[in-house]
Amino acid sequence: MALSSQLENRDYAGLLDAWRLTASQTAGDFNLTLWYAAVEYEIPKLIEQAIILTQRYDVVVTNPPYIGSANMDPKLSDFVKNTTPDSKSDLVCCLHRTLRPTDQTQRLPGHDTQHAWMFLSSFEKLREKLLLKDTVNMAHLGPRAFEEIGGEVVQTTSFVLCNRHIANYKGTYCRLIEPTTQQGKKICSSPAKTRYTAQQFQLL
């Protein structure tokens, strides 16, 4: 059975209130009291997560985990294949799912991800979808964007999407892969030679 791609809109707040009354209803029944004690903390956490995931937001900021499909367990792999087939090879697929809790006005999801989705053929359909619909501004940071992470393995890009297409909009793109330190990238983000503007149709 395929996992659901998103939660249904239900009265989760009412459900949470009802759950908090459960303790008084279990008094006097030894088996119910034992059952309630076993799940007393887990159930409210699940309901609170449902409340968070079904709300609408002005801004969504995320740093998806860097996990390729080879390292996913069967349940996660199944979920990704069924819900985000255009980006199933990596959990960067999270970036497209963050558009769902935002509406189509000025609400913006921001991301910091590995940069592989910008180049690999396995993400071609994802790139086409983003360019056809979503407005983009981006800083391509490359390696050593974070001092806490050494080496060349983690190469990142930071960007903001708008959940709609804006005709004739010119996105701003900043290429910062050359500086080899976090401070160097910050300094080089201002000069005009590292900044580019382009309309989305020019990138297709």
Side-chain angles (χ1 to χ4, degrees):
M1 180 182 295
L3 295 172
S4 174
S5 61
Q6 62 186 55
L7 292 172
E8 296 179 4
N9 287 321
R10 297 182 179 272
D11 183 13
Y12 294 109
L15 178 60
L16 185 58
D17 289 338
W19 175 258
R20 288 168 177 162
L21 294 174
T22 303
S24 62
Q25 304 300 316
T26 62
D29 188 315
F30 181 71
N31 289 328
L32 281 177
T33 301
L34 286 178
W35 172 81
Y36 180 80
V39 295
E40 179 180 3
Y41 300 105
E42 284 75 10
I43 297 298
K45 287 180 182 178
L46 290 173
I47 297 173
E48 288 168 359
Q49 287 178 358
I51 292 172
I52 292 170
L53 292 172
T54 52
Q55 291 178 354
R56 311 299 287 185
Y57 294 92
D58 293 323
V59 175
V60 175
V61 180
T62 181
N63 182 0
Y66 304 152
I67 301 177
S69 56
N71 295 314
M72 296 179 189
D73 64 38
K75 184 178 289 188
L76 177 58
S77 178
D78 217 29
F79 177 78
V80 170
K81 288 176 182 177
N82 283 297
T83 58
T84 54
D86 294 333
S87 52
K88 62 187 178 184
S89 60
D90 195 283
L91 274 191
V92 74
C93 63
C94 294
L95 74 88
H96 208 260
R97 290 181 61 80
T98 58
L99 295 172
R100 292 183 180 176
T102 59
D103 67 18
Q104 294 188 3
T105 58
Q106 296 295 334
R107 302 188 178 189
L108 307 174
H111 305 80
D112 181 63
T113 72
Q114 284 270 37
H115 73 174
W117 68 269
M118 299 164 58
F119 310 107
L120 297 182
S121 59
S122 54
F123 294 106
E124 183 177 357
K125 289 183 178 179
L126 173 65
R127 292 193 296 270
E128 289 176 352
K129 282 187 175 180
L130 291 176
L131 289 173
L132 285 171
K133 177 183 178 183
D134 307 306
T135 300
V136 180
N137 293 293
M138 177 180 290
H140 186 189
L141 301 171
R144 302 182 185 276
F146 305 101
E147 293 177 352
E148 300 82 3
I149 305 175
E152 305 287 321
V153 176
V154 178
Q155 301 201 39
T156 61
T157 181
S158 296
F159 55 99
V160 174
L161 303 177
C162 179
N163 197 13
R164 61 177 177 144
H165 178 75
I166 302 174
N168 301 318
Y169 175 83
K170 286 189 175 183
T172 300
Y173 304 86
C174 197
R175 183 175 173 83
L176 300 172
I177 62 174
E178 294 301 332
T180 57
T181 66
Q182 181 176 317
Q183 183 62 21
K185 294 179 188 295
K186 182 177 180 180
I187 293 172
C188 287
S189 64
S190 296
K193 65 180 181 180
T194 63
R195 290 186 175 231
Y196 307 87
T197 60
Q199 292 183 2
Q200 285 179 241
F201 74 87
Q202 295 174 323
L203 303 175
L204 289 172

